[in-house]
Amino acid sequence: MTEATTATTDGVILTDEAAAKVRDLLEREGRDDMSLRIAVQPGGCSGLRYELYFDDRQLDGDVVRDYHGVNVVTDRMSAPYLGGAIIDFVDSIEKQGFTIDNPNAGGSCACGDSFH
């Protein structure tokens, strides 16, 4: 895992690499009005699954953090499940994509898409 931009257990932590990838994706789309939203929803084989997507809305009660110009937004219902979770971006021969290391997850399924 790469070094986190900010060490905090108060919210989601976005690494420098993940922030750079988000900025790159938004620039390619010509969008500077969107945030990276992470949420937890019921589902998956372990009970809860992550949702990670771009959003141009801000809802009442959202927790918003800025990482070098990238806003990371979490809704108030998901925030307790995601405190201290680190979002990273990995680009290697084995895998490419965003990863989530969540200290609140008691366990996860084999595919890694859901947790409890």
Side-chain angles (χ1 to χ4, degrees), residues 10-12 35-42 49-53 55 57-65 72-83:
D10 249 3
V12 175
S35 300
L36 179 66
R37 182 174 289 275
I38 181 167
V40 173
Q41 297 293 322
R49 64 182 172 83
Y50 298 109
E51 288 189 344
L52 194 66
Y53 58 96
D55 197 354
R57 305 169 296 145
Q58 288 214 352
L59 307 173
D60 193 33
D62 278 349
V63 178
V64 181
R65 299 224 183 266
V72 177
V73 180
T74 307
D75 66 86
R76 69 175 148 201
M77 298 301 285
S78 298
Y81 297 100
L82 296 169

Side-chain angles (χ1 to χ4, degrees), residues 45-110:
C45 47
S46 288
L48 297 171
R49 64 182 172 83
Y50 298 109
E51 288 189 344
L52 194 66
Y53 58 96
F54 293 121
D55 197 354
D56 60 357
R57 305 169 296 145
Q58 288 214 352
L59 307 173
D60 193 33
D62 278 349
V63 178
V64 181
R65 299 224 183 266
D66 179 271
Y67 292 92
H68 303 292
V70 172
N71 283 333
V72 177
V73 180
T74 307
D75 66 86
R76 69 175 148 201
M77 298 301 285
S78 298
Y81 297 100
L82 296 169
I86 300 171
I87 301 174
D88 195 12
F89 185 78
V90 177
D91 189 3
S92 68
I93 292 174
E94 293 92 22
K95 81 194 288 191
Q96 179 185 41
F98 290 97
T99 63
I100 301 172
D101 182 15
N102 188 350
N104 302 302
S108 64
C109 63

